[in-house]
Each structure stands twice: as structure tokens, then as C-alpha cells.
Amino acid sequence: LSTMHPDVETILFSEEDIAQIVQRLGAEITRDYQGKDLVLIAVLRGAVVFMGDLMRAIDLPLAIDFMAVSSYGSNAKSSGIVRIVKDLDMDIKGRDVLIVEDILDSGLTLKYLMKNLSSRKPASLEVAAFLWKDVEGKQAAIDPKYVGAHCPDEFVVGYGLDFAERYRNLSYVGILKPEVYS
Ligand code: PRP
Ligand code: MN
Ligand code: MG
């Protein structure tokens, strides 16, 4: 959905901004993964929209797979406890794995995933994050190789990002009005 949602205060990244960002990332990945055995792994559910766009911006043979993880509520999230709800269908041993994420906030989801996936002995393991909330004074647990854009420490929704499972279908990334979540 492209029209401004009444619950959205400001549009941070328009559909056009997003298309440009994704084209740039796709070109970088295409250049870096020449001759490699690329597997894109998206983290359900937030990353599905970015995954759909990014895979089509990469001009290389590639495979895709999905993982679903759950953190035990908001407290457990900051403790870094992550449970695999749906594992990969694919064996990634010896392959060049790129994890696709919509947003990197504390980085704890990705930190856990990196550790878990690296134990399966891929040839390489990197992260492509569409947004990075790298707020000053708050250290992210991991350092993504590909970053679409930096994002302020606000409640952002759209382009796969939800609040209480809503707004994922917005075609842009916007800041949610405070009265919606408070
Ligand atoms: C969100 C987002 C990232 C993660 C980032 O997922 O999509 O996966 O949180 O947070 P972190 O860097 O602090 O770990 P969420 O758990 O809300 O699930 P969802 O993708 O289904 O919305
Ligand atoms: Mn997610
Ligand atoms: Mg979410």
C-alpha cells in the first residue's frame, strides 16, 4: 500500500527511496558473490518483503531459504535467548550464506543466528540488513556487511516491519504515531 496510513506520522523511506537502496545493495552483492554458491536466508516474518525485492536485484544464480525464530517475550529478547521455530530446509555446509534481515536493532536476533549458522560450517556468513538502528551510545551485537540505511530510534513500520503484526504491507517505511502504541 503506497498511500499514507492514518497511523503513520512521517514517511522515512518512500517506495522510491527503497527501490534505490535495494538496487544498490543488489549491485554490491552481485559484485561480491561472483562465482560463489550464494544462499540467501531470510528471517521470518519481517524480512520477507526485503527478501522478495533483494533477490530480484541480484544478478547471480542463488538459492533461498527461511528461518523463523522467536524470542521469549520482550524481556527475553534483551537477554538474547532465541528459539528456532522453523529451521532451514537446506544444508549450508560449504556454501556462501547471506542472512537477510529487515532491521537490526539490539542485534541479538542476528548474533544468535550467526552463532547457530556458523556452527554448520558455511564457506562464508554475512548479513544484509535493510535498516540499522545504530543509535549512538548503544552498541549493536553484530556488524552487518550490507546495510540499506541507518534508521533513527523510533517506532518504524512498513516494508515488512510490524507493530502487533500490522503495517507490514505498507510500501514505505514510516514512523508510527505515538498514540497508536502508547
Ligand atoms: C524484529 C525484526 C528483527 C528483530 C530485530 O523481528 O524483524 O528480526 O526484531 O531486533 P534485534 O536486533 O533487537 O534482535 P520480530 O522479533 O519483531 O519478529 P518479526 O520479524 O516476525 O516481526
Ligand atoms: Mn524479524
Ligand atoms: Mg516484529
Side-chain angles (χ1 to χ4, degrees), residues 1-5 11 15 169-172:
L1 301 175
S2 312
T3 48
M4 179 100 159
H5 192 287
I11 293 182
E15 213 173 333
N169 55 331
L170 304 181
S171 303
Y172 51 86

Side-chain angles (χ1 to χ4, degrees), residues 54-72:
L54 185 67
M55 63 186 280
R56 289 177 293 171
I58 300 172
D59 188 13
L60 292 172
L62 57 81
I64 62 166
D65 205 345
F66 297 88
M67 274 184 100
V69 296
S70 109
S71 22
Y72 293 106

Side-chain angles (χ1 to χ4, degrees), residues 85-113:
V85 174
K86 184 229 170 286
D87 206 340
L88 299 175
D89 293 324
M90 223 170 260
D91 185 4
I92 57 166
K93 190 171 181 211
R95 309 189 70 178
D96 295 286
V97 173
L98 184 58
I99 304 174
V100 176
E101 257 290 35
D102 52 338
I103 190 163
L104 181 60
D105 189 355
S106 70
L108 290 170
T109 305
L110 275 174
K111 191 183 178 188
Y112 169 82
L113 274 180

Side-chain angles (χ1 to χ4, degrees), residues 42-53:
V43 186
L44 297 171
R45 290 174 291 272
V48 293
V49 182
F50 178 43
M51 174 71 140
D53 284 347

Side-chain angles (χ1 to χ4, degrees), residues 70-143:
S70 109
S71 22
Y72 293 106
S74 49
N75 289 339
K77 190 157 191 176
S78 51
S79 73
I81 299 166
V82 177
R83 185 171 57 97
I84 294 180
V85 174
K86 184 229 170 286
D87 206 340
L88 299 175
D89 293 324
M90 223 170 260
D91 185 4
I92 57 166
K93 190 171 181 211
R95 309 189 70 178
D96 295 286
V97 173
L98 184 58
I99 304 174
V100 176
E101 257 290 35
D102 52 338
I103 190 163
L104 181 60
D105 189 355
S106 70
L108 290 170
T109 305
L110 275 174
K111 191 183 178 188
Y112 169 82
L113 274 180
M114 296 283 281
K115 188 166 171 246
N116 181 289
L117 294 178
S118 65
S119 73
R120 307 180 197 192
K121 305 274 180 281
S124 65
L125 180 62
E126 299 290 353
V127 170
F130 180 69
L131 294 178
W132 191 5
K133 262 191 195 177
D134 56 340
V135 180
E136 210 179 321
K138 198 178 95 182
Q139 204 174 340
I142 71 127
D143 192 15

